Every structure is written in structure tokens, then in C-alpha cells.
Amino acid sequence: MDPGWYLRRLSRMSPREVAGRAADVLNRRKLRRALPEPSAPLPGRRFTAVLPADVQVPPDARARVLETANRLLDGRAEYFGVPRDDLVNPDWSLDPKTGRRAPSDAFAFDIPYRREDVVGDIKQIWEPSRHQHLTVLATAYALSGEDRYAERVADHLKSWWAANAPMTSVHWVSGIELGIRLLSWVWVRRLLHGWPGAAGLFEDNPEALHQIWHHQRWLATFPSRGSSANNHVIAEAAGQLAASCAFPWFPESAGWRADALRSLDEHLGANTFGSGLNRELATEYHGLVLELGLAAAVEAGPAAPDSLWRTLLRMTDALAAVVDVRLHPPRQGDSDDGHGLVLDGHGTNRWSSLLATGDALFGRLDWWPDPRGGDVRTPLLTALARRFEATDRPRTRPDHFADAGLTLLRTPPGDGRGEIWCRCDGGPHGFLSIAAHAHADALSVEVRHDGVDILADPGTYCYHGEPEWRTYFRSTLGHNTLQLDDTDQSTSGGPFLWTRHATTRVLARPGGGVLRWSAEHDGYRPAVHRRTVELDPGARELRITDEVTADRHHPARLAFHLGPRVEAELIANAAVLTWTSGGREHAAVLDLPAGLTWTAHRGQIDPPLGWYSPGYGRREPATTLTGSGLVGRGGALTTLLRFAH
């Protein structure tokens, strides 16, 4: 990062955080000189956190696990859109996308891991080392009893431990990686419990004990703090808690366990709105944090306080409320496809699995959507947990989350014409002073028909290495909202830093049978952008009205990003939209404001425009409609989306 970035980053820190980071610098210098000597492991070590013998797994979920595990045995997997066939004996420092190798024998904190020209794409290197492919292989062993799965797990763990000594390589740089890796190791040991070599791989293996101790000491020494205490601190606490509960083999284990449980309870509460939505306002991170929290709370058992379970319950109810008819949640904010605990095979619906787990732990409410298909994680995870009961839960499906500024307009279920689902964004600009995973998307909308993206949130695509794409995908122009003066509503100070945050105020919400939402933001102050969205279920029409209050005219661009399955024919200020779903042809008409000049863009590179990212590291062309002109000094821009009956 350039010196200016460090100054901007420093300006977002409190004095307490600055002091903590100064202490981190001193601790890093000590570690550069010499590693601490691990404590002697306690005698009589055993692994007791085992699964009950009678856990039943749905046949379809079992089949998916074994199919995925067999591909892994062949060395095949895919990470962020990049296929790999080298996972029989992987190079843990190789980025297959760029062909670069990160240093594997340098002091961890000396490695410039954000620089793709030096290390490659760090996400491609980190992801296999979360060892979630090993939890899938271990699950395959637990379900089949076939030693070949366990033996491959053992080979990979021994290989990784040999290649990544404590404090060397990029795998010792980021706490979230260490926390998730520890959680994976706990479940690998649990799932391999019936294998004769399990104890020799873990509690009787000096190298495993060395690695587990150093992972936990790292997390105790370098916690995410202050403006960085987002999903990272949850992963750190969850991994530390799980390891200290399942591997209580060191003199420090009881202290690590108590500190991690306290941290998890505190930070999970701080990261969650009272409504249950994650404060980062990035839905994929809601899923990540919920997975981590559930896994860690189950590990803690009776020691987990009710406050922790209540937060997890609120998060689960909120997830059930926001998903569409296909159980897909909003595409809001950043997404890097991160998972907390992976026990299922490819093709399992993550969100359905979380709702199934919530049903087992908390009980489903009458308005919850039904899960789609079975999963492995739910029966295995909940076999270790008690049921948590609470009475103060929503009696009807919420459509407005005031604290998060998220509002849903949707047609009633069961009318046979396909659900119209619309998310309206009137919330805060991210979490904490840096709002790391926020996008400049105030007043944006996201519209789906029967689960198909019509007006789509384009997604995230990348974090490091391609700054022009990182800028585009989190820009105001990259969302279904109005851009003024060719600038973003909020000001970016770097790829995970916002130095000025737009403030949004919700003016009207659904109620009394009226599906109407209105909000405004001050990101272009003194100009104010106000948007009103109304859904008429009977007419199957969505009306969007944009108004700008200003003392002069402003150059403006109004963008509507279509989903990748939608074809568009633009004639003047109207676009005919068509798509196929469920074997049927569907259509809608988008009547666009006549006061703007409309153009269609698809797969434009310089500058980027007309793209959709289905997942981290992947992008595909999609149509974006943009209207350009002058706004302000009265008048309104009205857009009408009319679905065919």
C-alpha cells in the first residue's frame, strides 16, 4: 500500500486501537528474533469430543459428499472459478491462476501478501489451506468407513505442517485463516475418530501438537481489533474456542477457552443488529458468521451463554425472513464465497442447510420457508448440541429491518405467477469506521422473479490484484441507483476502506397492506437523492421514482443492471426483457425515464460496465442500461417494471 493509504487507515482508528497495533508491531519483532517455546503438552491426552454413533444422514446428501470426495481423491477441485487437478500432492504456496508462488520460507509478516505481482492471488493460495476439502474427505470416511479418504487427509495434513512451519509463509499472516483452519482440524479429528491412525495423526503426533499450540498462541497474541473487529474476529474466536474445547491438551487451554468464549459472545453481539442481520450488510458474511458462531457454540456445549444462542437465533430468523422463494438471500455488499464449516458435497444449498440447522436447534416458525434437499452438516452438528428455546420471536415474516435499513417488497406466496421479490437499501454504509465490505449502493434495489435476477446486484468479483474491477463492482454506477457528478456516494480510501460514508434515512416502509418504501441519502450533499419504490401485486408492477433536491442541475447516470439470464431489447426509453425459467418463457417491460438518454452496455472493458459476478473470482457479461442527463431543481424520474401476467 502507498503511504497515503496508511495515513487514511490510521485516521479511522481510535487511540486504543493505535496502541494495540503498536503492541502488535513489538510482538512481531520479538517473533522475528525467536519463536516462543511451546508449553509441554499435558499427559494422558485423549480426544473425547466424538459424535454419537447413531447419527442419520439423508441419502442425497451422503451421495453428494462421496461424489465430491472422489473428485478430491483424483486431485480435482475448483476455487473461485479456477479448476485444479494438482490436489493429490498440492503445492500449498502456489497460485494456479497466475502461476506465481508465494515465499514459503520467509517471516510471515514480511511477505507483501496483497501484492499479486509478488505472491499471486492470495485468495487462491489461502483457500485450500483452510482445509475444508479435508473436512469433506473426513466426512466421506465417517459415512463410508473407507480408509482411502482418511489416508488422503493424513497425507495432506502432514504435507501442510511440513511446508508451513510456525511464522513462515503467507498462511501465518491473517487470523481468519488460522481460525477457520483450527475449526477444520477439530472436525477432521472428530470425523476420523473410527480410523486407527487418528490418534497418531493428532494427539500422539508432536508436529500436530506443535502446530495446534502455535495456531492458538498466534490467535491469542494478534486478535483483530478496533476498526477491523468484523467477521475476522468472529473466525478467530470461533477457531480458538473450538480448538481449546476439543484439544484441551495444553496448560493454556482453559485460559484460551475462557477468553475465546467471552470474545465470541461479545463480538458476535456487536457484529449483529438487534433485528438479527449482520452489521457488515454483506449477506455472504452473514452466512459465514452464522456458520462460525453455530459451530463454536456447539463446541462450547453447556458453557455457551444464552446471550450467544440468542444472537444466533436472531440471525437465523433474519435469514429465513430475507431469502426469496428459491432460498437465495440478497446479494448485498462484498462476497468472497467464504464458509465457516464445510461438511457437505458440491451442490448443497448453503442457505437451506443453515435453515435446517436452525430448525433442529431452535425450531422453525410457521412463516419460515421450507428447506430444499437434505444436508450432512445439520445432523452432524446438531448431534452435539442441546435445543435452545425462546418465545420472543417474530410471529409473522418481517419485511422491514429498521436498524439495518433493509426492506423487502414481495408478492404474496402461492399465487402461481412467480414471486416478485424486491430488496430496497436504506441502511448504514457498512460497519465500523472503515466499512470494509460495504459498497456505495445507497437506495439501490434488487428485483427477482421466481428467484431469477431481473434487476441484479452485480456482486463483488475480486478483492486484490485488479483495482479497476474492485472499484467498479463496489461503485455507485455498479448498482441499481442514481449517480451524480460522475462520483460515488461514499468516498473510497482503498480496497477495504471508506473515508466518507453516505447517511441514509428511511421515510416510509410497508404497512397496512401497502407495499411502498421511500428513503433518501446525503452522499451528494448539499444535493439530496430521494427514491420511492411501490409494488402493486395485482398489476404485477414495480414503480421506482427518483427525485433530486438541489440548487443546480447535476450530471446524472441512472443504472439498471440486468441479471445474466435476462435478454433486453432497448428501443428509445423502453426495454423488453425476456428470460427462461422452469422451462417457460417469461417477459417484462421496463419503461425508463424519458428525460434521460438511454444506452445498453454488455461486457464493456474500458471502463468496466455490463458485468455480473456469480461468485468470487468469476465474472460474466450481462446487460446494463444507463440513462444520462441532468437532474435537480424539481421534477422526478419514474421507472416502471411491468411483469407479464
Side-chain angles (χ1 to χ4, degrees), residues 41-65:
L42 300 174
R45 296 177 302 281
R46 294 186 303 125
F47 184 82
T48 59
V50 299
L51 286 165
D54 58 348
V55 180
Q56 299 297 312
V57 169
D60 62 325
R62 181 182 187 275
R64 286 194 299 271
V65 167

Side-chain angles (χ1 to χ4, degrees), residues 124-368:
Q124 289 287 345
I125 299 172
W126 275 345
E127 195 68 15
S129 288
R130 291 186 171 186
H131 290 171
Q132 292 174 331
H133 71 293
L134 300 187
T135 54
V136 173
L137 286 167
T139 303
Y141 168 78
L143 296 178
S144 70
E146 295 186 29
D147 287 352
R148 58 191 180 128
Y149 300 116
E151 289 165 356
R152 179 60 55 81
V153 171
D155 289 345
H156 277 206
L157 284 176
K158 292 174 183 176
S159 166
W160 195 93
W161 291 333
N164 296 280
M167 296 312 303
T168 63
S169 86
V170 291
H171 300 302
W172 292 88
V173 173
S174 176
I176 188 174
E177 304 304 317
L178 279 76
I180 291 176
R181 193 156 51 239
L182 278 177
L183 183 58
S184 294
W185 292 353
V186 167
W187 274 90
V188 164
R189 176 61 184 87
R190 174 173 289 128
L191 293 162
L192 296 187
H193 189 64
W195 182 54
L201 183 61
F202 280 92
E203 56 264 36
D204 296 335
N205 181 359
E207 184 58 31
L209 295 171
H210 186 73
Q211 287 275 349
I212 293 169
W213 186 90
H214 273 288
H215 271 68
Q216 292 187 88
R217 186 187 183 279
W218 194 108
L219 292 173
T221 306
F222 299 111
S224 292
R225 58 180 88 244
S227 57
S228 294
N230 52 14
N231 64 86
H232 283 235
V233 77
I234 304 299
E236 294 159 9
Q240 182 79 296
L241 179 58
S244 56
C245 289
F247 304 146
W249 302 332
F250 308 99
E252 300 92 345
S253 293
W256 285 336
R257 182 164 57 250
D259 290 346
L261 183 56
R262 183 168 53 250
S263 176
L264 181 66
D265 187 28
E266 173 191 343
H267 287 291
L268 193 67
N271 273 252
T272 307
F273 286 113
S275 64
L277 291 177
N278 183 264
R279 285 183 180 270
E280 292 197 77
L281 296 173
T283 314
E284 290 283 341
Y285 285 104
H286 183 106
L288 171 66
V289 167
L290 181 54
E291 289 169 353
L292 290 166
L294 288 170
V298 164
E299 216 68 56
D306 284 357
S307 54
L308 177 58
W309 284 112
R310 287 187 180 280
T311 302
L312 294 167
L313 170 58
R314 294 201 317 274
M315 294 180 70
T316 307
D317 279 341
L319 175 63
V322 301
V323 294
D324 65 23
V325 69
R326 302 293 178 186
L327 301 190
H328 298 150
R331 284 167 55 89
Q332 183 178 18
D334 271 349
S335 166
D336 70 352
D337 296 356
H339 290 256
L341 175 64
V342 179
L343 303 179
D344 278 281
H346 180 73
T348 301
N349 185 314
R350 172 190 198 171
W351 310 104
S352 177
S353 172
L354 279 169
L355 292 179
T357 301
D359 185 7
L361 289 175
F362 310 121
R364 60 179 287 110
L365 296 171
D366 292 341
W367 54 262
W368 273 30

Side-chain angles (χ1 to χ4, degrees), residues 66 251 266 283 298 386 452 569 639:
L66 296 180
E266 173 191 343
T283 314
V298 164
R386 62 181 176 91
V452 175
E569 182 181 4
T639 304

Side-chain angles (χ1 to χ4, degrees), residues 3 15 19 26 69 183 237 343 444 532 581:
L26 294 177
L183 183 58
L343 303 179
S444 65
T532 301
S581 175

Side-chain angles (χ1 to χ4, degrees), residues 28-29 31-32 35 105-111 167-169:
R28 291 175 183 180
R29 289 176 178 173
L31 289 174
R32 183 182 284 106
L35 288 181
D105 56 357
F107 181 64
F109 292 120
D110 288 343
I111 302 173
M167 296 312 303
T168 63
S169 86

